[in-house]
Amino acid sequence: MIVNYDKCLHCGGCAGSCPKNAIFLNDYILVFNDDCNRCGRCVRLCPVQALALEARA
Amino acid sequence: MKTYECDVVVVGAGPGGSMAAKFCAEGGLDTILIEKKAEVGAPLRCAEGVSKKWLEEVGIALDPLWIRADMIGAVIKSPDGTQFKLDESKAGTEVGYVLERHLFDKALARDAVAAGSKLMMRTSCTGVIREGGRVVGIKVKSMGEEAEIRAKAIVAADGYESQVGRWAGIDTNVKLNDLNSCIQYRMVNCDADMEYCEFIIGRSIAPGGYLWIFPKGNGVANVGIGVMGPLCKGGEPKEYLDRFLAIDPRFKDSQAVEVAAGFVSTCPGLDCAVDDNIILVGDAARIIDPLTGGGICHACRTGMYAGKVLVEAAAKGDFSKASLMPYEKMWRDRMEDKLYRNWMAKERLAELDDETINELVRLISTSDIEEVNVYNLLKTVKEKFPKVVEGFEHLI
């Protein structure tokens, strides 16, 4: 997952919306764990378009 | 690693967490309240509007310190500019104050501390501790140091993020339809009416949600928008809000001094907000008015209920799910019908196109409603647009 921290407002909305509970907002950054299944929910919901899916390796 | 022992640990010092901590501590429980951020009540993730009546119900004394503006009414507007203005005499319970949340939250945290609760700042929960199949505490990072807080019960008041509940095994996942992505600017030097809260509905303005203008006096207003999950494809909340502000003449010479984002769930609450040794309150339990997105009064009520139930559970020495179930009954008895009714109303409103919304607002503005509240508004809608309330007529 690519986070644009110049846009991110640290609202935690993505964390609360993640169906896999794969996003954790600590004090300053978003942490994504291995449970992420690239469903893209956080990407479409982010109010400021701060998230993008990485291209598959 | 440092280990703390207590009766109850409360995760999150928002209104729900502070109320829970206060009632636990008042009942003689050894209580620790933790807050992830460096400041209680900031940064803002809230439109700051509340109604008036519930404050007394939960024992919060009015303090001019955190009341920024006293509203005399509300305006509901449709996309073509048709508006329905209601003043206090008619608006009754639905109109109220615009708060200063960073001060309100600190006042509630102070009350929790005054009751005897400990408060640990910059302490985030990173997981739950399980032993013998039961949750016996939480793992935290406190001022950068890892630690454990062992407790007989946990109150999860961690807001929309709601991760403590999930770590403890409670499904707090929200359907896409039942969530709203929001953004808000604090606008200064604007020409908005400083005595009325304004709600603008309609698909072209705020798809599946609404746009709000909550004035804070002296040309300052919280202007924000919520967009329903399925109607977000990427960046809509900000796009729609920026578009509105560029067009509306009241904001021609206005600029934002603060940008806030946040999500609200718009479902009628979790199927069950308790389990062995854990209670979820407020946003974490998804107990928010699905139509207005208002969550402060629900958080305060559920926090109070959680505290009271935990004090009783401690007297019995039993923090099992069965022992905590009175909490479930308390919040459902008080709020479930209204939450369900407003959830249905939200679902239906989201389906209506601009034309129908214009007609609806015109209809309401010309009908003679004694006291205006969501219930009476829906009753009027039921008479003229029965289709809108199909499926939940029995609650109106």
Side-chain angles (χ1 to χ4, degrees), chain B residues 182-193:
Chain B
C182 309
I183 186 164
Q184 170 179 277
Y185 298 144
R186 165 101 27 107
M187 302 301 292
V188 295
N189 196 42
C190 71
D191 200 21
D193 190 326

Side-chain angles (χ1 to χ4, degrees), chain A residues 17-18 23 25 27 41 45, chain B residues 36 122 160 163 166 181:
Chain A
S17 310
C18 176
I23 311 176
L25 175 73
D27 284 347
R41 197 190 237 207
L45 288 174
Chain B
K36 169 162 80 176
R122 265 208 97 206
Y160 180 78
Q163 291 183 306
R166 290 201 262 187
S181 173

Side-chain angles (χ1 to χ4, degrees), chain A residues 25-37:
Chain A
L25 175 73
N26 75 12
D27 284 347
Y28 294 105
I29 58 161
L30 290 167
V31 183
F32 295 81
N33 73 22
D34 295 341
D35 293 337
C36 171
N37 64 355

Side-chain angles (χ1 to χ4, degrees), chain A residues 9-21 23-28 41 43-49, chain B residues 36 45 122 125 160-161 163 166-167 173-176 179 181-183 229-230 232-235 238 261 263 286:
Chain A
L9 292 166
H10 308 277
C11 74
C14 50
S17 310
C18 176
K20 306 297 278 182
N21 208 18
I23 311 176
F24 179 69
L25 175 73
N26 75 12
D27 284 347
Y28 294 105
R41 197 190 237 207
V43 175
R44 67 185 281 191
L45 288 174
C46 175
V48 292
Q49 275 191 298
Chain B
K36 169 162 80 176
R45 287 180 195 164
R122 265 208 97 206
C125 177
Y160 180 78
E161 285 162 66
Q163 291 183 306
R166 290 201 262 187
W167 288 327
N173 196 21
V174 179
K175 291 201 304 270
L176 197 56
L179 57 85
S181 173
C182 309
I183 186 164
C232 288
K233 303 280 179 262
K238 186 172 181 299
F263 283 41
R286 312 304 190 197

